[in-house]
Amino acid sequence: VAGFGHLEVLTNGEGTQNVKTMVNKAVGYMDQEMHKDYQKYHKDSPCESINLHYLYARSFFLSTKKLSASHQEAYKYYYDNAKKYWKKQSLYNQAITALVLYRNGDKELAKNIVENIKSWAQYSEEMGMWWKRDGYGYYWDEAPVERQALLIEAFNTITQDQESVEKMQLWLLKQK
């Protein structure tokens, strides 16, 4: 669904009716599943990666596919927890949180998160800008290239910091 969200942005919403119907069904399914998850497991703790990714994918369609009344409570719960516990998240999940907050109108906190992320960056003229982490995880969202691509999206969307984006792109290209 997030991939279709990116496609929606790139094409300015010019998708075919079949694609829009499919995406609406997929977003509705996501809403249902997160509502079920909320009913089973909600507790005041940091969001799991799957919940943050739901918020991220959902944020592409906030204006085109409204949340039903029955799903608003779960969405608000996960959104509030993402906002409350963003400092406890991985760098990747902090960037997702910043994008979700920005798309929901919480622009000041989103900018603060991006500035915090930037404060941890490594720089070199040859390599550009990147983030050093001890070891890499097993999951795709722990991969350095995936993280860098999402960070580029966050910097480009939230701060429009083209100098940093270009430095991050340089690091990404060096990873060929």
Side-chain angles (χ1 to χ4, degrees), residues 4-45:
F4 278 111
H6 284 121
L7 190 59
E8 182 95 0
V9 169
L10 290 171
T11 63
N12 293 320
E14 295 295 320
T16 67
Q17 189 56 45
N18 289 343
V19 170
K20 289 179 183 183
T21 300
M22 180 180 62
V23 169
N24 278 339
K25 286 180 181 180
V27 170
Y29 176 77
M30 279 191 338
D31 289 343
Q32 286 178 318
E33 291 304 306
M34 283 302 108
H35 182 72
K36 286 179 194 175
D37 191 47
Y38 166 74
Q39 288 177 322
K40 276 186 182 175
Y41 304 111
H42 78 281
K43 56 189 178 295
D44 192 30
S45 62

Side-chain angles (χ1 to χ4, degrees), residues 106-157:
D106 232 332
K107 295 182 181 198
E108 200 57 42
L109 181 54
K111 287 179 183 177
N112 290 341
I113 293 171
V114 171
E115 288 304 316
N116 182 67
I117 290 170
K118 188 175 180 179
S119 72
W120 292 97
Q122 306 289 310
Y123 300 92
S124 89
E125 190 157 333
E126 179 187 342
M127 293 300 290
M129 180 174 160
W130 74 98
W131 286 262
K132 186 176 181 183
R133 289 291 185 224
D134 297 332
Y136 302 109
Y138 175 76
Y139 300 102
W140 66 270
D141 61 337
E142 297 168 334
V145 169
E146 180 69 27
R147 179 180 58 230
Q148 190 81 352
L150 184 73
L151 288 165
I152 289 170
E153 179 184 352
F155 275 71
N156 198 38
T157 301

Side-chain angles (χ1 to χ4, degrees), residues 69-83:
S70 62
H71 298 141
Q72 287 178 1
E73 182 181 358
Y75 184 89
K76 182 175 176 4
Y77 169 78
Y78 290 124
Y79 179 84
D80 289 346
N81 271 6
K83 191 173 171 178

